[in-house]
Amino acid sequence: MKPSLFPAKVLLFGEYGIIENSSGLSIPHSFYQGTLKFHSNLSFKKEFLHSNSQLEKYYKFLFFLEQKKKNLAKIDLKNLYEDIQKGISFHSNIPQGYGIGSSGALVAAIYEKYAKNKLCLKKRNINIITLKKIFSQMESFFHGKSSGIDPLICYLNLPLLIRSETDIYSIGIPDKNNFQEKKGKGRGAIFLIDSGFPRKTYSMIEFFFVKLKHDSFKKILKEEFMKYNEKCIEAFLKGDFNNLLKNVKLLSTWVFHHFRPMIPKNFWKIWEEGLLTNLHYLKLCGSGGGGFILGFTPNYEISREKLKEYATEVLFRF
């Protein structure tokens, strides 16, 4: 039987805002994916040995939840343990610490393979909020606290629109390959930029919560950031790329002024130059601090040349 593949995810819009009940839009990204499988020459592959040992630690976490009768996922721990002893590992090309769901894909794979009464689309018994709670608990092993959104997207392999903790649903988005049919010659693009190093999630989130203690910051977060974010999502879903670029510029400018410590220092100049020249607009991809950065440009070829020292990857053309 062919193993199930679980994609990475990209949070297009909603970083930090969703913590304060702003909207978010996240999509699966199948260029990166992972799967659970056995390897015939496991002893010669250090990365697979490491993955196998990490799975054993994860098993102990799930076993602890089971002992406390708090295991929401109802994982078949006996089967999982036996497979770990046989050398199962998570084979993935999803870069860790890049904000695109490496742990989410692993959690989705464990749930799909070992959950006793899993919720799934095939059985038509899916309940997104219940599944989100299950994944939130399962992924907490990796981050201390998890919203459950990343594994949800990796598992369902569907774009999700997040309105609040209890208002989440799958949504249709403009087709990646046919964006250019709606406007112009397809020169524009939404793309990923590799900052060159993993992110530092904890310090970024800590910085955000410190700022959130100030009423003045909460006010502008709600009145400006959330408004721009909402308009970006609206324009994207409509395929209105002129308005998308206009509002992404506002969002990018806001982030540059208020979230600068979350932007890798080697991108400060590039970020500001983009805003001044309108060549491209950059935004955080997740928590920031490293990993991937999102770019929005009316002309990808020019942007790619300007950013040639960094690896870039197109998500959508328009």
Side-chain angles (χ1 to χ4, degrees):
M1 183 176 176
K2 188 178 179 180
S4 299
L5 295 170
F6 294 90
K9 64 85 199 179
V10 173
L11 183 64
L12 286 180
F13 302 103
E15 70 284 355
Y16 292 104
I18 56 176
I19 296 173
E20 288 293 294
N21 281 322
S22 176
S23 296
L25 179 64
S26 196
I27 61 169
H29 183 38
S30 57
F31 180 82
Y32 300 103
Q33 54 192 2
T35 187
L36 287 165
K37 67 179 182 179
F38 296 96
H39 197 280
S40 56
N41 297 314
L42 189 64
S43 59
F44 298 104
K45 298 286 184 178
K46 287 183 180 180
E47 64 268 32
F48 300 146
L49 280 172
H50 176 70
S51 174
N52 180 259
S53 67
Q54 288 299 108
L55 284 176
E56 187 162 8
K57 291 177 184 177
Y58 189 50
Y59 160 80
K60 291 176 182 177
F61 165 76
L62 295 174
F63 182 78
F64 174 78
L65 291 177
E66 183 71 22
Q67 293 294 100
K68 295 288 184 180
K69 301 189 183 303
K70 293 181 179 180
N71 186 2
L72 298 177
K74 307 302 179 191
I75 297 295
D76 184 346
L77 293 174
K78 181 177 182 293
N79 193 10
L80 173 58
Y81 180 77
E82 288 174 355
D83 283 352
I84 290 170
Q85 299 312 303
K86 293 174 186 175
I88 201 167
S89 61
F90 189 60
H91 295 228
S92 169
N93 68 344
I94 307 172
Q96 294 184 20
Y98 268 65
I100 60 169
S102 57
S103 62
L106 171 58
V107 166
I110 292 286
Y111 181 81
E112 193 274 340
K113 187 172 179 63
Y114 298 104
K116 294 177 181 177
N117 298 300
K118 62 177 177 280
L119 301 170
C120 65
L121 292 171
K122 289 180 182 178
K123 293 182 180 179
R124 298 181 181 274
N125 67 342
I126 196 74
N127 183 308
I128 285 181
I129 302 306
T130 300
L131 197 53
K132 175 180 173 292
K133 289 178 182 176
I134 291 170
F135 286 149
S136 174
Q137 183 189 62
M138 290 182 70
E139 199 183 29
S140 66
F141 169 77
F142 300 97
H143 303 304
K145 187 177 181 181
S146 165
S147 68
I149 293 291
D150 287 7
L152 192 60
I153 292 161
C154 298
Y155 180 68
L156 297 176
N157 196 15
L158 293 169
L160 292 180
L161 184 62
I162 304 135
R163 292 296 188 188
S164 71
E165 286 188 2
T166 56
D167 188 6
I168 301 168
Y169 51 92
S170 61
I171 191 167
I173 60 173
D175 186 273
K176 288 185 180 185
N177 300 315
N178 296 323
F179 253 32
Q180 61 267 35
E181 292 180 7
K182 291 201 171 188
K183 290 275 185 178
K185 300 177 181 178
R187 290 182 299 176
I190 301 172
F191 60 102
L192 291 173
I193 312 165
D194 187 343
S195 68
F197 53 90
R199 62 182 184 163
K200 299 174 182 177
T201 305
Y202 294 116
S203 59
M204 297 300 102
I205 292 175
E206 184 180 2
F207 170 79
F208 175 74
F209 279 115
V210 168
K211 288 183 74 70
L212 208 56
K213 290 178 181 178
H214 301 282
D215 291 339
S216 58
F217 176 75
K218 287 188 76 169
K219 187 173 185 291
I220 60 171
L221 183 76
K222 183 176 181 179
E223 294 178 355
E224 298 175 9
F225 178 86
M226 290 184 180
K227 182 178 74 174
Y228 305 149
N229 180 70
E230 192 71 41
K231 287 184 178 295
C232 284
I233 293 174
E234 182 183 339
F236 176 81
L237 293 178
K238 287 181 178 178
D240 184 347
F241 311 115
N242 287 332
N243 261 324
L244 176 63
L245 290 171
K246 174 185 171 183
N247 285 288
V248 168
K249 181 177 182 178
L250 292 171
L251 193 61
S252 179
T253 302
W254 195 95
V255 168
F256 188 70
H257 288 299
H258 299 284
F259 283 170
R260 196 171 308 184
M262 298 173 180
I263 302 169
K265 286 187 177 180
N266 57 321
F267 272 84
W268 286 6
K269 184 178 179 182
I270 298 168
W271 197 294
E272 189 172 30
E273 282 180 349
L275 292 172
L276 293 172
T277 61
N278 295 313
L279 178 58
H280 44 241
Y281 311 123
L282 307 184
K283 70 178 290 296
L284 301 176
C285 182
S287 62
F292 285 117
I293 289 169
L294 274 164
F296 297 75
T297 177
N299 193 316
Y300 178 66
E301 298 309 318
I302 295 175
S303 290
R304 183 171 63 175
E305 178 61 25
K306 184 72 174 177
L307 298 164
K308 61 185 177 183
E309 65 180 288
Y310 299 97
T312 60
E313 177 192 337
V314 172
L315 292 173
F316 296 92
R317 296 300 296 254
F318 56 87

